[in-house]
């Protein structure tokens, strides 16, 4: 158990008082002298408990509107002294410094203040100085001091000191020191990222305090972890635990469906980060049926997502399919009862939360960071480069296909008709291969490509893709443009009455 120490004193200075009452009552019961400041002191006193104001120790009042309360040698000396060091112990006695065995501090809510849309001055005032210093000091001196730095630990801490009757072991204090430095490093990261939100400094600071061990990584022989607040984004209603691969597919599904929020009922089915089915219709039931028709083979074991509430009729169709995850903003009561009919099926309610603005991935001996692709191709940004212009129906399909193309692995070609995915070629080393894959797949599932549209994630360096598309009945094309040989593809389209539009924006997804 290491060195066991019995606490005789505690410094308590917290922003939130929730959960503090049973702890301070236990301190009084155990004969632990409590020192405190400001609102915390008033709270303890209101419970009829004994508390010593820090001002009595320092002989100095709280100044500068509360910015300076505990920043004093008599406070930090009480925390940082080494009790096995005769010189330190002598100086405590010389300067009348009380030994502090426990420090309970939480920090001003900086991240919540930023998220609230507060003014810069309000945000700056929520940068904690005294609290962060107390946490670091107490954690540094864990050999003699136990630091409680988060409300989340109150229940465990109360149980620990109750069982130990005020005593703690070296191992327990070390664990709480690690928790304290986790809190302090996360806090500093949030402050740095606020000041560096425009990335003036080429420095990367990432901190996630919520972590979960997964069953394994992409494969059973790999360890896997998820760091993030999954519960802030989803309510899990049913099913088994999500795996590493489930989470990657859920991420892909959410990002794809974000392009269709506010549109007519839209349903997508994804497999291995790519959509194998997508359709927009007048009803969600029809959208699901037509999305499934895009590739009913790949849909097996897929991830399903909707931009509307899932109703009983749609749920009845979904229930016929083995799928890993279903995602929607809401479900009717009847739909939920139907979908819960398979015990392992994961059912998620997606909440409205802000997603990260940057994408981070490991690379070589470092990391790559980039802005998220926030550009969605739209009608008002299209450049009509051919004599023939797309029809209204084709324009609708071109934007539909472009949205999907943006979220499909490169090189990719997407074929669509009547706001339905006919097929896509994904992750190919040549654009021609991607197109041929898409055409073969569409033909396999009996799609009529006459009048279909084609979307490409990058430009055509040669006219070969538009030639193949034309041969298979495709009548309209959307692509970024930007090749020095763009005119070759434009000329072919003009000669064969194909409509082509250019967006000016490439959407590679590697």
């Amino acid at each position: 158990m290491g060195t066991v120490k019995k606490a005789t004193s505690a410094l308590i200075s917290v922003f939130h008082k929730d959960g503090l009452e049973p702890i301070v009552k236990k301190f009084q019961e155990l004969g632990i002298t409590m020192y405190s400041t400001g609102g915390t002191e008033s709270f303890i006193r209101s419970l009829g408990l004994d508390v010593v104001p820090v001002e009595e120790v320092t002989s100095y009042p709280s100044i500068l509107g509360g910015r300076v309360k505990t920043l004093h040698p008599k406070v930090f000396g009480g925390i940082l002294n080494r009790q096995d060091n005769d010189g330190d112990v002598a100086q405590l006695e010389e300067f009348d410094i009380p030994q502090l065995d426990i420090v309970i501090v939480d920090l001003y809510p900086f991240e919540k203040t930023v998220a609230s849309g507060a003014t810069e001055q309000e945000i700056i005032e929520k940068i904690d100085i005294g609290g962060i210093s107390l946490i670091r000091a107490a954690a540094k001196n864990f050999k003699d001091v136990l630091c409680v730095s988060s409300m989340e630990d109150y229940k465990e801490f109360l149980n620990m000191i109750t069982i130990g009757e005020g005593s703690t072991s070296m191992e327990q204090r070390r664990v709480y020191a690690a928790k304290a430095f986790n809190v302090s490093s996360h806090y500093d990261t949030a402050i740095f990222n606020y000041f560096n939100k425009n990335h003036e400094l080429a420095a990367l600071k990432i901190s996630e305090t919520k972590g979960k061990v997964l069953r394994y990584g992409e494969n059973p022989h790999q360890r896997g972890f998820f760091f993030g607040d999954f519960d802030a984004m989803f309510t899990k209603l049913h099913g088994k635990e999500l795996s590493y691969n489930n989470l990657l597919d859920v991420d892909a599904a959410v990002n794809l469906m974000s392009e269709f929020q506010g549109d007519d009922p839209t349903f997508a089915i994804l497999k291995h980060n790519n959509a194998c089915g997508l359709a927009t219709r007048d009803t969600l039931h029809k959208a699901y049926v037509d999305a499934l028709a895009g590739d009913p083979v790949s849909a097996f074991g897929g991830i399903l997502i909707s931009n509307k509430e899932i109703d009983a009729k749609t749920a009845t169709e979904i229930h016929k399919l083995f799928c890993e995850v279903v995602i929607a903003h809401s479900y009717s009561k009847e739909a939920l009862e139907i979908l819960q009919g398979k015990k392992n099926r994961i059912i998620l309610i997606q909440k409205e939360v802000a997603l990260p603005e940057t994408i981070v991935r490991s690379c070589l001996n470092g990391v790559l960071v980039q802005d998220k692709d926030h550009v969605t191709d739209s009608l008002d940004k299209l450049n009509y480069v051919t004599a023939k212009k797309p029809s209204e129906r084709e324009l609708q399909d071109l934007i539909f296909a472009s949205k999907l193309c943006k979220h499909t692995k490169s090189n990719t070609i997407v074929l669509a008709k009547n706001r339905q995915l006919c097929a896509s070629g994904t992750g190919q080393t040549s654009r021609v291969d991607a197109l041929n894959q898409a055409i073969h797949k569409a033909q396999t599932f009996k799609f009529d490509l006459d009048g279909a549209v084609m979307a490409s994630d990058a430009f055509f360096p040669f006219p070969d893709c538009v030639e193949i598309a034309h041969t298979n009945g495709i009548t309209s094309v959307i692509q970024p443009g930007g090749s020095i040989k763009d005119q070759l593809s434009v000329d072919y389209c003009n000669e064969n009455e194909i409509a082509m539009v250019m967006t000016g924006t490439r959407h590679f997804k590697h």
Side-chain angles (χ1 to χ4, degrees):
M1 287 290 290
T3 305
V4 174
K5 291 186 63 65
K6 186 172 181 64
T8 60
S9 62
L11 172 65
I12 311 165
S13 181
V14 297
F15 185 85
H16 300 98
K17 313 301 185 293
D18 300 344
L20 188 61
E21 181 176 345
I23 291 175
V24 293
K25 285 183 175 178
K26 176 57 68 173
F27 281 171
Q28 178 116 331
E29 178 187 323
L30 293 170
I32 295 174
T33 301
M34 291 181 276
Y35 299 87
S36 193
T37 63
T40 309
E41 177 200 337
S42 299
F43 172 77
I44 296 171
R45 203 176 297 283
S46 72
L47 298 173
L49 305 176
D50 299 329
V51 60
V52 179
V54 165
E55 290 89 335
E56 285 189 14
V57 176
T58 63
S59 300
Y60 217 92
S62 172
I63 62 172
L64 307 182
R67 279 188 164 197
V68 179
K69 296 190 287 287
T70 56
L71 295 168
H72 194 281
K74 283 198 171 183
V75 174
F76 282 87
I79 296 170
L80 285 166
N81 72 90
R82 293 155 293 188
Q83 292 177 33
D84 59 356
N85 183 297
D86 292 341
D88 286 5
V89 173
Q91 285 192 318
L92 289 188
E93 186 173 345
E94 178 184 357
F95 296 108
D96 193 23
I97 298 172
Q99 167 65 38
L100 297 172
D101 302 311
I102 296 172
V103 172
I104 302 179
V105 179
D106 70 351
L107 300 172
Y108 292 157
F110 179 82
E111 288 179 280
K112 287 184 178 178
T113 305
V114 172
S116 73
T119 66
E120 176 150 288
Q121 188 53 46
E122 289 171 324
I123 291 169
I124 297 303
E125 289 305 317
K126 288 298 183 288
I127 296 177
D128 206 312
I129 303 300
I132 202 82
S133 301
L134 292 169
I135 285 173
R136 289 176 60 83
K140 174 178 178 175
N141 202 28
F142 69 90
K143 284 181 65 177
D144 295 314
V145 181
L146 188 137
C147 180
V148 182
S149 55
S150 171
M151 293 170 55
E152 294 179 5
D153 294 324
Y154 283 1
K155 185 176 180 181
E156 178 187 77
F157 169 71
L158 177 60
N159 185 57
M160 185 170 67
I161 61 165
T162 299
I163 292 172
E165 297 182 339
S167 297
T168 59
S169 69
M170 178 78 81
E171 287 79 5
Q172 288 170 330
R173 295 192 298 277
R174 180 185 285 275
V175 167
Y176 272 73
K179 291 183 178 191
F181 284 119
N182 184 31
V183 167
S184 67
S185 62
H186 179 79
Y187 196 75
D188 282 342
T189 295
I191 294 170
F192 170 77
N193 287 334
Y194 171 76
F195 280 98
N196 197 47
K197 55 191 169 189
N198 294 322
H199 305 292
E200 293 92 347
L201 300 178
L204 175 65
K205 309 285 186 190
I206 299 174
S207 178
E208 290 290 349
T209 57
K210 294 182 181 293
K212 183 182 177 86
V213 179
L214 304 174
R215 294 196 301 273
Y216 48 79
E218 281 185 289
N219 300 290
H221 62 278
Q222 296 170 268
R223 291 194 303 161
F225 307 86
F226 173 71
F227 295 100
D229 193 352
F230 184 84
D231 293 337
M233 186 164 181
F234 296 102
T235 298
K236 182 169 172 283
L237 301 177
H238 184 74
K240 62 183 179 181
E241 290 298 309
L242 282 94
S243 69
Y244 183 99
N245 292 329
N246 286 157
L247 289 167
L248 285 175
D249 284 334
V250 167
D251 177 71
V254 166
N255 282 295
L256 171 60
M257 194 53 71
S258 69
E259 305 284 354
F260 297 91
Q261 297 305 321
D263 288 5
D264 289 339
T266 301
F267 214 104
I269 305 171
L270 290 89
K271 196 75 172 291
H272 302 302
N273 295 186
N274 292 310
C276 58
L278 179 70
T280 299
R281 292 292 183 262
D282 293 333
T283 68
L284 191 64
H285 174 261
K286 183 61 174 169
Y288 170 73
V289 170
D290 288 351
L292 181 62
D295 186 346
V297 175
S298 294
F300 183 85
I303 307 293
L304 280 57
I305 188 167
S306 162
N307 70 344
K308 305 292 182 185
E309 178 175 280
I310 294 182
D311 54 33
K313 187 176 182 181
T314 307
T316 299
E317 289 296 328
I318 293 171
H319 193 58
K320 299 173 184 176
L321 174 73
F322 168 71
C323 58
E324 291 275 347
V325 184
V326 182
I327 309 166
H329 290 287
S330 60
Y331 303 81
S332 72
K333 181 181 177 183
E334 296 81 4
L336 195 54
E337 289 173 354
I338 293 166
L339 294 174
Q340 288 175 328
K342 293 186 179 176
K343 68 175 183 178
N344 287 330
R345 180 184 286 144
I346 300 164
I347 303 173
L348 301 176
I349 290 179
Q350 183 182 344
K351 305 174 190 177
E352 293 296 333
V353 298
L355 294 175
E357 296 292 317
T358 54
I359 297 171
V360 181
R361 62 193 294 183
S362 60
C363 180
L364 302 176
N365 62 344
V367 294
L368 286 170
V369 180
Q370 66 171 340
D371 294 335
K372 195 170 183 178
D373 185 353
H374 289 297
V375 175
T376 298
D377 298 328
S378 57
L379 292 175
D380 60 330
K381 298 291 177 65
L382 298 182
N383 182 19
Y384 298 83
V385 296
T386 53
K388 183 180 180 182
K389 302 298 183 285
S391 67
E392 287 299 315
R393 193 271 301 169
E394 286 174 327
L395 281 172
Q396 199 175 46
D397 284 345
L398 288 169
I399 295 300
F400 174 91
S402 173
K403 289 179 177 180
L404 177 51
C405 196
K406 171 183 169 182
H407 293 276
T408 306
K409 294 287 186 180
S410 299
N411 285 325
T412 186
I413 292 288
V414 169
L415 306 179
K417 184 177 178 180
N418 297 324
R419 297 190 296 174
Q420 179 184 19
L421 170 63
C422 299
S424 57
T426 64
Q428 298 302 302
T429 52
S430 99
R431 206 156 302 281
V432 171
D433 286 346
L435 175 56
N436 285 329
Q437 181 192 54
I439 290 170
H440 173 74
K441 191 171 182 181
Q443 291 171 343
T444 298
F445 293 110
K446 310 301 181 186
F447 279 99
D448 178 6
L449 293 178
D450 285 336
V453 307
M454 174 174 72
S456 173
D457 60 341
F459 62 64
F460 300 122
F462 304 101
D464 44 10
C465 280
V466 289
E467 292 176 20
I468 296 169
H470 173 238
T471 301
N472 286 274
I474 290 161
T475 56
S476 193
V477 178
I478 185 169
Q479 58 127 328
S483 169
I484 59 173
K485 296 182 179 180
D486 273 346
Q487 196 58 43
L488 295 177
S489 294
V490 173
D491 290 343
Y492 183 90
C493 288
N494 281 331
E495 291 164 7
N496 293 277
E497 295 190 342
I498 299 171
M500 179 184 284
V501 296
M502 294 184 182
T503 65
T505 303
R506 188 182 74 186
H507 292 292
F508 271 160
K509 186 170 186 279
H510 287 98

